[in-house]
Amino acid sequence: MRSQPRMRPPDGAEPGSVLDHVDTPALLVDLDVLDANIATMASFAAETGVSLRPHAKAHKCAEVARKQIAAGAVGICCQKLSEAEALVAAGLDDVLVTNELVGPAKIRRLVELARHATVAACVDDPRNVAELAAAAHGGDVVLALLVEVDIGDGRCGAPPGEAVVALADTIESSPGLRFAGLHAYRGGIQHVRSAAERRDAAHAADERARIAREALAARGIRCDRVTGGGTGTFPFDAELGVHDEIQPGSYVFMDADYARNEPASTAPAFAQSLFVWSTVMSAPSSDRVVLDAGTKSLPPDSGPPTIPGWPNLEYRSAGDEHGVVVVPPGSAAPSLGEKLALVPGHCDPTVNLYDWLVCVRDRVVVDVWPVVGRGASY
Ligand SMILES: *Cc1c(COP(=O)(O)O)cnc(C)c1O
């Protein structure tokens, strides 16, 4: 399957080493917080009676996935086939690819992956179903497919109703294919700030999933599961009873963007476990310091990082490899060579920039885990 050359772990990232000796930029995970986040989500799912299938695009790391499975997750989600291949190669055995896979190259790889693990993928077009049916038949495997429903994002997905029924029906009647349920996820509402507005938006989206589910039932097509829901909406998706399975991903790490969401009163709280470790490499004047982490260490798509412990400082990126931090008049500033732990704006693309997660407990390195799905975008 997939292999790629890796950079070696950062200097000082050996188990037993104190955090201050870890060179920068490096990606740190506080394992006590990570473990607590994983346990909290697992308890929520168990108490609510929904299955938990965490989205592994957030961490791309087999060790994190194994912790999630050990805590009760039924499997994992991946967004890309290469991500699924990397995690199956690392020993994970139940993966839902929450995306459409189109064209002979990808379908050949999906058929191959289905020989090694329980895999499923999404469809929203009869031409893709026909292509998958031919490959499964020729490849002598049964491919599990979920019909993706457009529940309001205006992205992929068939509209709820007849189009969904027709796709499910075609899958059911194709040898080599198995209809494995509905995929109903709406990414665009995960960061609606007000909890009440996010709940309303999730319920409106879930109503479209309910219509699709009922249309299948009316035609006598059995639907084993409706799956969807992220860190922003999972409590609302779970409370309606339309979803049997939730797919939150970011909750393991959290990030500055999720920290701006008003938490749901009915949901458990998650804490920040992921940090970019960075050094003050220049302190040229009293109004600023410059960190060695710019946009190549901290993707800016969801805003700048925050700096815990330094509430007066404001990170303002100056470029690919420089992070300029503004020091207001009269405020204390970190000194040259000092290391700071930054909370990334968006955890998923941040993880994708690092080969290693440096795991710490109480500011001591305890492990270093490869990000096996790093760069797996194909
Ligand atoms: C990203 C994603 C998730 C998880 O979203 P988070 O906000 O990271 O919790 C779940 N399902 C699908 C299909 C996704 O693309």
Side-chain angles (χ1 to χ4, degrees), residues 341-359:
L342 310 177
V343 172
H346 188 183
C347 58
D348 310 50
T350 303
V351 170
N352 196 41
L353 294 177
Y354 293 83
D355 281 316
W356 304 95
L357 291 177
V358 179
C359 306

Side-chain angles (χ1 to χ4, degrees), residues 225-281:
R225 67 175 149 167
V226 176
T227 180
T231 299
T233 64
F234 76 90
F236 314 127
D237 300 312
E239 74 193 1
L240 272 196
V242 178
H243 285 81
D244 316 283
E245 188 177 273
I246 53 172
Q247 311 173 342
S250 300
Y251 75 97
V252 287
F253 294 144
M254 300 303 283
D255 54 33
D257 199 15
Y258 263 124
R260 287 187 280 269
N261 269 13
E262 178 195 352
S265 58
T266 52
F270 300 96
Q272 187 64 37
S273 70
L274 185 77
F275 303 90
V276 169
W277 189 228
S278 144
T279 301
V280 176
M281 63 174 183

Side-chain angles (χ1 to χ4, degrees), residues 55 57 79 98 183 185 190 229-231 247-250 258 348:
H55 214 302
K57 74 179 186 198
Q79 198 74 310
T98 55
H183 188 248
Y185 172 75
Q190 300 301 320
T231 299
Q247 311 173 342
S250 300
Y258 263 124
D348 310 50

Side-chain angles (χ1 to χ4, degrees), residues 90-103:
L92 279 301
D93 64 3
D94 188 333
V95 182
L96 164 62
V97 179
T98 55
N99 227 334
E100 284 70 16
L101 300 172
V102 172

Side-chain angles (χ1 to χ4, degrees), residues 81-92:
L81 190 55
S82 51
E83 214 170 63
E85 288 169 337
L87 286 163
V88 167
L92 279 301

Side-chain angles (χ1 to χ4, degrees), residues 99-160:
N99 227 334
E100 284 70 16
L101 300 172
V102 172
K106 287 218 168 46
I107 291 175
R108 248 194 323 271
R109 284 164 51 206
L110 177 67
V111 167
E112 181 57 25
L113 194 64
R115 297 185 205 285
H116 298 277
T118 301
V119 285
C122 296
V123 292
D124 67 359
D125 192 297
R127 292 166 294 186
N128 185 213
V129 175
E131 190 179 31
L132 287 156
H137 192 58
D140 211 18
V141 293
V142 175
L143 292 178
L145 299 179
L146 287 85
V147 173
E148 175 156 18
V149 187
D150 177 4
I151 59 169
D153 259 350
R155 198 166 64 177
C156 300

